[in-house]
Amino acid sequence: MSKREQNSPASFIKIVYFDEESASDLLDVSAGGKAALTTEQVKERAADIHSKAEASAAAKFSWLPFFGGSAEASAGVSASSLGRSILNKTLSNTILTDYLVQANEHEGVKRLADLQVVARKDSAAFMKMFTPYMAMLKMDELPINLAGLDNALEAAKGYYELVGEDPTGKKYILRFNLRAFRNNYGLVDLGRMQLVFHGILVGRAEEASLTMAAEMAPSTDAAPINVRDLIDGVETKDDGRLDVYDVLLAGIEYVK
C-alpha cells in the first residue's frame, strides 16, 4: 500500500485522538504562511452559518409566551453559543482534513499500525489511567487524597507516554497530549482498539525512563541523540533506547 493510500482522508472512519495545535503548527510551517487565507475563509464560512443559526433559533422560539419581548434576545444567546460551537468544530475539522492531505506528502510524519499499546505499570501514565476510577471510591482511611492526586498528575505533565509494540517485537514510546483526545476517549481506551497512529520522531529514550522514580531523578549519563540522524536513517548504536514519537493522530481506518 502506498503512503498516499495509507493516509487518504477517506480511509479514516473514526478519530480517537488529534493533536490539533501540533498539526496546525505543521501545516503553518509547511505552507510557509500561505495557510492564513484559508483560515480566514473558514472563519467567514462559519460566521455565515452562525448568523443563519441565530435567525433560525429566533424564529423557532419566538412564539413561546414565556419568552415575551425577549424572545429574539434569548434565542440569540442560545444561537450564539451554538454558533461558537459550530465555528470551533468547523475550524477543527478543516485543520484535520488539511492535515491528512499534508501528512500524505510529509516524510516527517510516520504511520504506525498494528501496535499493542500499554502503559508501564510504574509510570505516571499508568497511574493517570486509573486515578479517576480510584477517586470515585470512598477510601477515607487512605492517607492520600485521590482526587487531588488525579489533578496533580494532570497538572504535572503535558504529555503522557505509552509503549507500543509491533508484531515483530519492536517497541516505540508514544507520547500523548491529554487535551487532544476526542469523543470522550482517554489513555485507557488506546489499548482496547486497533488504531493507526501518526507520529513525529522527536528523540530516543529508555523504557525504564518512563517510571515516576526516573522522571523525578533523571539520569544525565546518556549521550544526546541527533534527531536528524534518526530521520535520515543514519545508523546509531543499539543502546536499548526506543524511538520516541509525539502522536499527532490516532484513529481507525476503513479496511475493505
Side-chain angles (χ1 to χ4, degrees):
M1 181 180 292
S2 68
K3 187 172 183 180
R4 178 176 296 276
E5 290 172 332
Q6 291 174 345
N7 288 339
S8 170
S11 66
F12 278 94
I13 59 173
K14 182 72 172 179
I15 302 299
V16 172
Y17 171 99
F18 181 52
D19 193 339
E20 193 172 303
E21 292 182 4
S22 295
S24 181
D25 288 343
L26 179 68
L27 291 172
D28 288 344
V29 171
S30 300
K34 297 177 182 178
L37 178 60
T38 301
T39 301
E40 289 304 316
Q41 291 173 341
V42 171
K43 288 182 179 179
E44 290 176 6
R45 186 166 68 249
D48 181 57
I49 295 172
H50 177 192
S51 63
K52 291 179 180 178
E54 279 189 332
S56 176
K60 181 177 181 180
F61 295 111
S62 60
W63 62 272
L64 293 175
F66 55 79
F67 270 95
S70 61
E72 290 192 10
S74 299
V77 171
S78 177
S80 177
S81 176
L82 172 63
R84 284 193 298 272
S85 176
I86 291 173
L87 173 60
N88 291 336
K89 186 173 182 180
T90 302
L91 289 172
S92 177
N93 287 342
T94 299
I95 293 172
L96 173 61
T97 303
D98 290 348
Y99 161 76
L100 287 171
V101 173
Q102 184 66 38
N104 179 39
E105 307 294 339
H106 205 296
E107 294 299 326
V109 177
K110 183 176 178 65
R111 178 182 180 273
L112 300 166
D114 300 320
L115 299 183
Q116 289 284 347
V117 181
V118 298
R120 186 178 171 112
K121 288 186 178 180
D122 45 2
S123 68
F126 182 84
M127 184 169 291
K128 184 67 184 73
M129 288 167 68
F130 295 104
T131 48
Y133 300 100
M134 296 165 63
M136 291 188 295
L137 302 176
K138 187 175 182 180
M139 298 182 178
D140 296 333
E141 67 278 8
L142 291 181
I144 186 171
N145 183 336
L146 293 175
L149 176 61
D150 183 55
N151 292 334
L153 284 170
E154 189 161 345
K157 287 172 63 71
Y159 282 76
Y160 279 82
E161 299 90 352
L162 301 182
V163 177
E165 183 174 356
D166 68 19
T168 69
K170 183 175 181 179
K171 291 184 176 182
Y172 308 87
I173 294 176
L174 307 180
R175 303 203 312 168
F176 296 90
N177 178 354
L178 292 183
R179 295 178 300 175
F181 282 96
R182 295 163 72 101
N183 302 310
N184 295 316
Y185 285 109
L187 287 172
V188 72
D189 299 297
L190 297 177
R192 303 169 178 168
M193 309 175 78
Q194 189 173 355
L195 299 170
V196 172
F197 302 93
H198 286 187
I200 294 178
L201 184 64
V202 295
R204 301 187 75 199
E206 296 179 358
E207 185 177 344
S209 69
L210 303 183
T211 66
M212 293 190 69
E215 290 195 13
M216 293 183 205
S219 171
T220 58
D221 296 336
I225 297 296
N226 189 321
V227 175
R228 172 55 60 185
D229 289 345
L230 294 176
I231 295 174
D232 293 341
V234 176
E235 185 177 353
T236 58
K237 182 179 178 181
D238 184 6
D239 53 6
R241 284 184 281 184
L242 310 178
D243 290 346
V244 180
Y245 286 90
D246 277 1
V247 177
L248 295 180
L249 174 78
I252 297 173
E253 288 185 341
Y254 173 69
V255 180
K256 295 182 180 180

